[in-house]
Amino acid sequence: MPSVYLQTFGCQMNAADSNGLAHQAWSLGCSFTETPETADILIVNTCAIREKAETRVYGRLGQLKSLKRPESKLLVTGCLAEKDRAVMRSKAPWVDALLGPREYGAFKALLADWGVPTDLPPRDTPLQMPSSETLDGGADALEYSHLRSLVSITRGCEKFCTYCIVPYTRGPLESIGPEEIESQVRREVRCGAKEITLLGQNVNSYLYEGLNFADLLRRVGSIEGLERLTFLTSHPHDFNREVVDALAEVQNVAPRLHLPIQSASNEVLQAMGRLYTVEEYLEKIAYFRERLPGWALTTDIICGFPTETEHDFEATLELVRRGTFEYAFIFAYSPRSGTPAATMTPQVEPQERLRRLQAVNSAQLDSSRRFHERFIGETVRVLSSGPSKKDAAKMAGKTGHNVTVVWPRDERTLHQAFVDVAIDQAHSWGLIGQVA
Ligand code: SAH
Ligand code: SF4
Ligand code: F3S
């Protein structure tokens, strides 16, 4: 049976799609390998959100060209496959096939073309992905990867923020029916998932035959055995009080909200096509803070968007300095050809974008550290990710707030999903403690 090498770039959406592709290949009898040299089929699931993401993908495709056996097949999937469909043939002519994010229905037929028999009885053993990290204690990365699971609730996005490539690569918004979502969540929980993340580019735009996101949260939240429920990403235009009220009701929802602001200047927000003002954003989070005290609010920020002035940038910096966010993902603007922002004038110089990014980043690190300091002396419940990648003598995991926690490895907690950790140190990246 053919063996498959699968590498994923990009966001959780891509991770969820990779999981779906892996299941399809597995059900046809394929096995998986971590070494491209031995694979019969290589799949690279790609991202195109910023130039850096594309550069990394093309770099990897170049490496795979020389690593793979000449007769093995190379499939490129994901957002870059869609975006660079017309140029991939000249940029990476050794790629054998492309499938964009809306074409995974054609995956099995492609495998059949490549000689994978599709008429065998489906196999019913659970998917086994390779793990290079089998450890002496018998625990391996596989054991932990099952604890968290991603479930898509929408496909595509039609917000067309002026900087963003996603609506072009993933197409228009579609909501998945609640029964299908619930049955996937149940299946994941049966297979050992403790934390489920409901995924969509804008989960607040979920709508299926009159059922909205708040309704869906209540339904999924009541599934038995589900310990931690969370969701990504919310859009400030569509996020509303009804969602906050549902979050306050659902018992097992994790205390965190990711609500990307992008900028704290109304002029910039308007140029981005974000459909809200700073005042509206602040009003929404004021209600959120009032109803859900103690939650972590995280955000995305773009620095150096075209037309952003020093004054605009200062407004964003000031909002971050005030400790508005517990954590932020901060990006330098990256022009994406074909999007309206790429041709807006004036563009901010790349050097200046970077300077602004670093200033916002350092303000956020201070804020994150202050947030983490509040946990010193407390015992937190951590969902384990297993032995730390950086230091196998340590264990790592995440709290409900999504804060990273590290503690010394011990046999007792090696196989536990949830571990109680008494916190004694706080850093901007997270917390250190001892098993309680
Ligand atoms: N759908 C989500 C996430 C989209 S991509 C949302 O609307 O928030 C994740 C983040 O990447 C975005 O929130 C934005 O901050 C950043 N991003 C998207 N396009 C970008 C670009 N061209 N340059 C820099 N950052 C970008
Ligand atoms: Fe991109 Fe905006 Fe859609 Fe998010 S909401 S995926 S930033 S277009
Ligand atoms: Fe995700 Fe990258 Fe596509 S962030 S939606 S994989 S462009």
Side-chain angles (χ1 to χ4, degrees):
M1 269 301 162
S3 76
V4 174
Y5 170 85
L6 170 61
Q7 185 176 17
T8 309
F9 291 87
C11 63
Q12 273 121 325
M13 219 61 141
N14 257 15
D17 290 346
S18 283
N19 206 10
L21 293 173
H23 269 100
Q24 291 196 46
W26 174 259
S27 73
L28 295 178
C30 295
S31 62
F32 292 91
T33 171
E34 290 232 314
T35 48
E37 296 87 342
T38 60
D40 302 301
I41 295 168
L42 297 90
I43 306 171
V44 184
N45 197 4
T46 63
C47 174
I49 197 79
R50 284 168 289 273
E51 197 180 333
K52 218 193 258 172
E54 288 190 9
T55 311
R56 283 180 64 211
V57 169
Y58 279 112
R60 185 59 181 156
L61 292 178
Q63 288 173 341
L64 290 176
K65 178 192 178 194
S66 45
L67 289 175
K68 81 191 242 321
R69 288 179 290 122
E71 66 277 17
S72 63
K73 298 287 189 190
L74 175 56
L75 166 64
V76 174
T77 60
C79 291
L80 192 63
E82 186 62 43
K83 173 177 171 282
D84 278 7
R85 188 174 290 280
V87 294
M88 191 71 77
R89 200 177 296 277
S90 60
K91 287 179 95 169
W94 57 94
V95 170
D96 296 292
L98 298 174
L99 285 179
R102 282 178 298 160
E103 296 173 330
Y104 299 146
F107 179 58
K108 279 193 180 171
L110 181 73
L111 292 184
D113 278 356
W114 287 349
V116 179
T118 50
D119 51 359
L120 299 175
R123 72 168 148 179
D124 51 7
T125 46
L127 171 73
Q128 280 182 356
M129 292 288 276
S131 162
S132 55
E133 295 175 75
T134 305
L135 299 152
D136 35 298
D140 60 30
L142 187 69
E143 180 179 339
Y144 302 99
S145 67
H146 278 171
L147 298 175
R148 296 173 170 82
S149 185
L150 306 166
V151 175
S152 296
I153 65 165
T154 62
R155 299 189 192 94
C157 180
E158 49 199 23
K159 277 279 184 280
F160 285 97
C161 302
T162 58
Y163 49 81
C164 185
I165 196 75
V166 174
Y168 306 89
T169 63
R170 293 200 170 250
L173 176 79
E174 254 176 86
S175 295
I176 298 167
E179 278 85 22
E180 195 179 328
I181 295 168
E182 285 170 321
S183 78
Q184 201 190 333
V185 171
R186 282 202 195 89
R187 197 164 52 237
E188 300 292 341
V189 169
R190 260 201 318 277
C191 293
K194 304 290 174 197
E195 178 184 281
I196 297 282
T197 305
L198 301 179
L199 280 185
Q201 294 298 343
N202 168 10
V203 289
N204 311 117
S205 64
Y206 180 89
L207 191 63
Y208 192 92
E209 291 173 359
L211 187 101
N212 67 17
F213 182 59
D215 303 326
L216 183 72
L217 272 175
R218 289 191 181 92
R219 276 178 67 158
V220 175
S222 64
I223 290 176
E224 206 165 321
L226 171 56
E227 302 214 29
R228 216 183 245 184
L229 175 63
T230 181
F231 54 98
L232 278 175
T233 295
S234 296
H235 190 295
H237 175 263
D238 303 319
F239 178 79
N240 57 25
R241 291 184 173 216
E242 195 188 344
V243 173
V244 176
D245 293 341
L247 293 174
E249 252 174 60
V250 178
Q251 289 301 312
N252 46 6
V253 69
R256 59 187 193 240
L257 171 68
H258 185 61
L259 192 65
I261 189 167
Q262 312 296 1
S263 165
S265 149
N266 285 336
E267 286 71 29
V268 173
L269 286 175
Q270 193 174 8
M272 288 177 165
R274 287 291 287 180
L275 311 171
Y276 55 86
T277 62
V278 180
E279 292 73 25
E280 283 161 354
Y281 184 94
L282 294 177
E283 198 264 327
K284 288 188 184 197
I285 66 168
Y287 185 70
F288 156 77
R289 292 288 194 196
E290 179 195 319
R291 290 286 328 256
L292 299 164
W295 275 45
L297 175 66
T298 62
T299 204
D300 293 347
I301 291 171
I302 298 179
C303 295
F305 185 80
T307 75
E308 185 185 75
T309 62
E310 185 68 25
H311 185 253
D312 296 324
F313 154 69
E314 288 288 340
T316 306
L317 184 60
E318 182 49 32
L319 193 72
V320 169
R321 273 202 188 121
R322 287 209 310 255
T324 311
F325 311 105
E326 273 72 36
Y327 187 79
F329 297 88
I330 303 160
F331 308 103
Y333 170 68
S334 173
R336 308 282 68 210
S337 63
T339 62
T343 50
M344 278 179 194
T345 50
Q347 296 273 325
V348 176
E349 285 299 314
Q351 281 290 329
E352 177 60 11
R353 292 179 212 156
L354 216 55
R355 183 192 70 86
R356 293 180 189 177
L357 174 136
Q358 280 156 357
V360 176
N361 207 26
S362 103
Q364 182 56 50
L365 288 178
D366 279 347
S367 240
S368 296
R369 188 184 28 77
R370 287 199 301 275
F371 167 56
H372 294 154
E373 279 167 357
R374 287 191 242 153
F375 294 99
I376 292 180
E378 280 187 24
T379 294
V380 295
R381 194 156 186 255
V382 180
L383 182 58
S384 183
S385 329
S388 155
K389 287 196 190 72
K390 289 190 201 117
D391 178 355
K394 294 188 178 125
M395 301 284 286
K398 296 270 193 181
T399 68
H401 290 98
N402 213 26
V403 176
T404 300
V405 179
V406 170
W407 66 98
R409 175 173 169 163
D410 74 341
E411 287 309 310
R412 223 169 12 122
T413 57
L414 195 57
H415 300 280
Q416 258 172 254
F418 285 102
V419 181
D420 290 326
V421 181
I423 301 304
D424 47 37
Q425 272 185 58
H427 299 270
S428 54
W429 57 262
L431 304 165
I432 298 180
Q434 312 298 322
V435 176

